[in-house]
Amino acid sequence: MQADPAGVLTGSHFLDGDHACCEGALAAGARFSSGYPITPSTEVVERFAARVPTVGGTFIQMEDELAASITLQGAVWGGAKAFTVTSGPGFSLMMEHLGYAVMTETPCVFVNVQRGGPSTGLPTLPAQGDMMQARWGSHGDYEIIALCPNSPQECFDLTIKAFNYAEKYRVPALVMLDEVVGHMTEKVVIPTADQIEVEPRHFTTKDPNNFHLYAPDENGAPEMAHLGQGYSVHVTGLTHDERGYPNMTPQTQDSLMKRLKNKILDHVDDIVLYEEQDVEGAEVVVVSYGITSRVAQRAIDMAKDRGLKVGKFRIITAWPFPEKQIREIASKVKGIVVPELNLGQMVREVERAANGQCRTKLVPHAGGTVHRPEDILNAIVEVLR
Amino acid sequence: MSTDLIHPGNPVEPFLRTDRMPHIWCPGCGIGTTVNCFSRALIESCMNVNDMAIVSGIGCTGRVAGYVNLDSFHTTHGRAIPFATGLKLANPKRQVVVYSGDGDLFAIGGNHLIHAARRNIDLKVICVNNLIYAMTGGQTGPATPGDVITSTAPYGTFDPAFNLPYLTEAAGAVYVARWTTFHVRQITKTMQEMFSKKGFCFLEIVSPCPTLYQRRNKMGDGLDTMKYYKAMSKVKHGANTKDVPLSRQGEIIVGKFVDIERPNYMELMRNKLHDSLGEQYVETDELTCEEATSCSDCS
Ligand SMILES: Cc1ncc(C[n+]2csc(CCOP(=O)(O)OP(=O)(O)O)c2C)c(N)n1
Ligand code: SF4
């Protein structure tokens, strides 16, 4: 389906990442957002609050993130496409409702503009410290989809992707910016509505009498039902059967948990996005994401100037992790260098995927600013030594 | 309630998910009584059940959403009100009822309750107050009166309890009432009245928990509670909510305390946006997104 032109601000704009993210949400069809202010994410909903009444929709500022992250789910069941936006401390508060969205298969988007932590940490300064929280922060076993833009343009593009994935797989999708990407201003090109592919909500056309709210279709994700049309849906965060009725048997838990995971894991090839450069023939590959990938580019260029054979792999989909791609790289290179604005999070996944086939070297940074390219360069040199 | 007790032709049967019976509530529990009143209120108000959605939090009362044959949402502990807020704003024509326990609505969910009342979101909040956290085993809750023995207050409670009508009125509710499960007809009538009233409406239903409250406090069984409710309830419509706190075995002031008019959130929003944006404001009745079936038409 193509985007509704009402929400698409076609043209070339000079936007920061937060504003571009808001435009992406509007283009994707989001007509509802509930938020609670937190730096450095608030600009997303500030723009939404200004724009959405002219498009036909609602923004509500809730009393806290616990509320924000469940209000949007009510709106989704009410029929809207909806998202919320936050940063570290707010993201921590949203974790129970990330789980609720997973369990109830509520298609929605959480945007997290990451800042330094733990706790209140560095309110106005960057980090990539929530990468593991995104994956493991809620309790129980689950899969979510998380995307990492590295430019305002990608904040626009990937926010649309996140909404599309959310609808397609009935899963909460996360857009993981960092403060620098959220606040950097660059050219953002917004195409015309007919050039923007939007995944519609998959509402059932079945008769209410033979419709089961949680019976998966061949893709693994069930269809949704319109409220008020006699489906009498029952939605619960408890372990449930296909009708949505609570059922506490280990068998139901087992099959539900596996289905919720597999509807994502069976489609990794559709979901995993990445960017590769000069990986073929490289002796070392730098694996990075978000703002760090742009600093890494500088280090890679410096290394190439010295005649080193360096490739670049940029993680765009962080979760599910591009495991296959990293394993393949690891089988061909001497080493992988992983700069991160944290003291080591995604590097664990890289190591797991590399499975000892090559050296992996973390270039940690506790956040507050970006890496010095020299530090990444030094790590490249060291791995080759 | 076991299946064979549901007679064919029982008028409330269409409102219940009879395929889920028997329910989990204990004998003598008041929650089932309130659900019966709720079903009767639906019948008597001639409401189309498709126009209603019900949202519960977590707890014994929180299970109500699972037994009524409506679009129903069993959400997270304390968050029924914000979930219902999203549902209502996306779908303003729908009647959205929040049905939950005193602990769920006033402890973990207290912040949401006061803010929804302040904004005057058009929600009908039904609180079954059994004076305790029941589902987790009878701990002290925000509505537990003084001198009550609970599993976390083995020597008796001493932290002051909320007076729920007073708090709700102060936060901005336009309609506040209280009954006990002895007052089944009044509960039904009050629910009907709430369905036709716009804005944040609150009904407290004082209800027995024989299993964890009465027994531990040597207050007898469900029948003894009914006798207590009958003897000690005083109907005082329009009573000052300040004067209606509950105590362990004292008087229970019941009735309709508040019934006022005040613009609700949706009206306030629409008026403001109309004033500020004029022609540019795109008003919506529903935010429903396009269906997948329209896919083939466009591509
Ligand atoms: C975040 C969270 N904290 C705690 C619990 C455990 N819990 C389940 S029900 C409940 C209390 C419910 O009490 P109330 O709302 O009074 O309902 P009742 O069971 O008495 O009807 C609690 C604390 C939970 N499910 N989630
Ligand atoms: S524990 Fe108390 S409130 Fe819960 S079902 Fe039993 S009697 Fe009712």
Side-chain angles (χ1 to χ4, degrees):
Chain A
M1 195 178 95
Q2 286 148 356
D4 170 7
V8 182
L9 204 64
T10 303
S12 283
H13 305 271
F14 196 48
L15 293 180
D16 74 20
D18 282 356
H19 286 176
C21 172
C22 169
E23 290 304 329
L26 286 165
R31 294 294 179 267
F32 187 92
S33 178
S34 45
Y36 186 78
I38 184 167
T39 307
S41 73
T42 314
E43 292 89 338
V44 184
V45 287
E46 284 171 350
R47 191 178 178 101
F48 194 80
R51 291 260 291 126
V52 81
T54 66
V55 175
T58 302
F59 168 71
I60 182 167
Q61 185 172 314
M62 295 305 292
E63 50 276 7
D64 57 31
E65 286 86 351
L66 299 155
S69 58
I70 191 88
T71 301
L72 83 109
Q73 298 189 45
V76 169
W77 283 96
K81 284 197 177 180
F83 73 122
T84 190
V85 179
T86 192
S87 185
F91 197 53
S92 299
L93 292 184
M94 290 181 175
M95 281 301 125
E96 187 185 5
H97 292 142
L98 185 70
Y100 188 77
V102 168
M103 190 59 139
T104 56
E105 299 180 71
T106 302
C108 57
V109 171
F110 290 67
V111 174
N112 177 4
V113 189
Q114 297 171 83
R115 63 193 230 175
S119 191
T120 327
L122 301 170
T124 58
L125 298 170
Q128 296 174 321
D130 305 348
M131 300 306 296
M132 283 292 159
Q133 188 181 203
R135 174 69 186 83
W136 301 105
S138 202
H139 53 287
D141 292 299
Y142 62 90
E143 294 286 334
I144 42 87
I145 295 173
L147 306 176
C148 300
N150 78 350
S151 66
Q153 180 67 51
E154 276 199 352
C155 289
F156 176 83
D157 297 338
L158 294 182
T159 301
I160 297 175
K161 273 258 176 228
F163 275 95
N164 289 350
Y165 284 150
E167 295 297 336
K168 188 164 180 189
Y169 297 108
R170 273 189 68 178
V171 70
L174 277 41
V175 188
M176 304 287 289
L177 284 64
D178 49 66
E179 184 275 335
V180 182
V181 171
H183 283 164
M184 67 162 54
T185 302
E186 286 181 343
K187 180 174 163 181
V188 175
V189 178
I190 300 183
T192 51
D194 59 356
Q195 288 174 295
I196 299 174
E197 236 349 271
V198 165
E199 186 81 22
R201 181 146 306 161
H202 296 269
F203 285 118
T204 189
T205 50
K206 287 193 182 125
D207 176 84
N209 294 319
N210 54 44
F211 172 68
H212 282 176
L213 185 61
Y214 288 103
D217 67 13
E218 60 287 357
N219 227 1
E223 293 176 322
M224 301 271 296
H226 273 297
L227 287 204
Q229 296 191 352
Y231 289 94
S232 293
V233 299
H234 183 58
V235 174
T236 177
L238 289 168
T239 297
H240 46 267
D241 63 18
E242 290 195 343
R243 293 171 299 179
Y245 289 2
N247 182 322
M248 300 301 137
T249 62
Q251 291 78 6
T252 311
Q253 169 77 354
D254 183 70
S255 64
L256 179 59
M257 289 308 103
K258 285 179 180 157
R259 180 173 69 73
L260 292 182
K261 278 182 80 90
N262 288 339
K263 72 177 179 179
I264 304 301
L265 296 180
D266 290 346
H267 298 96
V268 270
D269 291 340
D270 176 44
I271 300 166
V272 165
L273 307 170
Y274 57 91
E275 185 189 301
E276 273 186 328
Q277 218 178 67
D278 301 326
V279 165
E280 221 38 65
E283 286 188 75
V284 56
V285 168
V286 180
V287 174
S288 57
Y289 56 94
I291 190 57
T292 311
S293 64
R294 295 178 69 158
V295 186
Q297 185 65 57
R298 173 91 184 109
I300 291 165
D301 292 344
M302 286 155 74
K304 282 184 175 160
D305 286 347
R306 296 187 183 188
L308 303 178
K309 288 187 181 142
V310 189
K312 173 179 166 180
F313 184 92
R314 177 160 74 95
I315 296 172
I316 298 176
T317 304
W319 305 112
F321 185 73
E323 195 167 324
K324 198 168 73 181
Q325 290 77 7
I326 298 290
R327 183 168 309 134
E328 169 91 18
I329 289 171
S331 71
K332 293 183 187 153
V333 298
K334 280 193 184 158
I336 296 177
V337 169
V338 188
E340 291 190 86
L341 282 185
N342 57 53
L343 300 184
Q345 295 200 10
M346 296 307 283
V347 69
R348 290 164 177 258
E349 283 299 292
V350 174
E351 275 167 0
R352 194 174 63 78
N355 198 21
Q357 297 180 97
C358 73
R359 260 190 91 181
T360 52
K361 183 157 177 56
L362 168 72
V363 190
H365 191 307
T369 181
V370 295
H371 287 79
R372 288 184 333 131
E374 292 76 16
D375 294 338
I376 303 173
L377 177 65
N378 290 343
I380 295 170
V381 172
E382 198 193 309
V383 161
L384 286 174
R385 201 175 285 149
Chain B
M1 202 191 291
S2 70
T3 341
D4 54 8
L5 283 180
I6 302 165
H7 305 296
N10 182 333
V12 302
E13 197 180 314
F15 298 96
L16 300 178
R17 297 186 191 274
T18 48
D19 53 344
R20 284 207 64 209
M21 299 296 160
H23 59 63
I24 61 157
W25 298 310
C26 314
C29 176
I31 298 171
T33 309
T34 73
V35 174
N36 196 9
C37 296
F38 179 69
S39 308
R40 284 175 196 277
L42 281 175
I43 297 171
E44 278 161 38
S45 58
C46 298
M47 270 204 57
N48 181 349
V49 290
N50 286 339
D51 291 338
M52 178 175 278
I54 180 169
V55 185
S56 286
I58 300 291
C60 294
T61 313
R63 295 298 179 101
V64 168
Y67 294 113
V68 291
N69 199 13
L70 305 170
D71 289 325
S72 51
F73 300 90
H74 183 219
T75 63
T76 48
H77 190 31
R79 320 299 168 195
I81 286 181
F83 185 98
T85 299
L87 197 60
K88 181 74 194 178
L89 296 184
N91 231 309
K93 286 187 194 146
R94 182 164 308 275
Q95 181 79 259
V96 180
V97 173
V98 171
Y99 211 125
S100 213
D102 48 297
D104 187 80
L105 289 167
F106 284 88
I108 190 165
N111 200 30
H112 309 313
L113 186 134
I114 59 173
H115 287 282
R118 166 179 70 86
R119 297 184 184 111
N120 198 18
I121 309 262
D122 184 20
L123 300 176
K124 320 298 155 185
V125 180
I126 298 166
C127 172
V128 177
N129 184 3
N130 54 16
L131 310 169
I132 205 122
Y133 284 120
M135 183 153 269
T136 39
Q139 297 83 10
T140 307
T144 312
D147 294 329
V148 163
I149 306 288
T150 73
S151 64
T152 47
Y155 310 109
T157 44
F158 48 86
D159 51 336
F162 274 138
N163 167 352
L164 308 185
Y166 183 38
L167 175 64
T168 322
E169 180 185 14
V174 292
Y175 186 102
V176 179
R178 173 198 279 156
W179 298 104
T180 77
T181 49
F182 173 74
H183 301 91
V184 287
R185 281 210 315 282
Q186 292 88 333
I187 293 173
T188 305
K189 196 168 153 275
T190 299
M191 287 175 171
Q192 271 176 263
E193 230 173 88
M194 296 209 304
F195 297 159
S196 58
K197 171 116 190 152
K198 272 262 178 217
F200 190 92
C201 299
F202 178 73
L203 167 62
E204 174 185 10
I205 307 173
V206 183
S207 166
C209 171
T211 310
L212 294 159
Y213 186 84
Q214 264 79 286
R215 190 177 295 168
R216 193 172 267 135
N217 286 282
K218 305 204 169 26
M219 293 167 85
D221 59 16
L223 194 59
D224 294 307
T225 320
M226 281 304 115
K227 287 181 186 154
Y228 162 54
Y229 288 174
K230 183 171 182 232
M232 298 302 282
S233 297
K234 295 272 165 336
V235 181
K236 274 193 200 163
H237 293 301
N240 188 333
T241 53
K242 203 172 183 173
D243 304 328
V244 304
L246 297 173
S247 57
R248 187 170 177 275
Q249 271 185 309
E251 234 180 27
I252 307 173
I253 310 290
V254 294
K256 179 166 81 177
F257 306 136
V258 177
D259 189 354
I260 58 165
E261 297 299 325
R262 175 164 95 79
N264 68 59
Y265 184 86
M266 215 67 200
E267 291 161 353
L268 292 165
M269 178 175 83
R270 286 188 168 142
N271 291 343
K272 173 53 78 186
L273 293 174
H274 260 303
D275 285 353
S276 307
L277 287 167
E279 297 268 279
Q280 273 181 290
Y281 176 41
V282 178
E283 207 173 312
T284 43
D285 268 338
E286 297 212 352
L287 303 179
T288 308
C289 50
E290 289 295 323
E291 303 182 29
T293 43
S294 63
C295 215
S296 50
D297 305 343
C298 353
S299 55

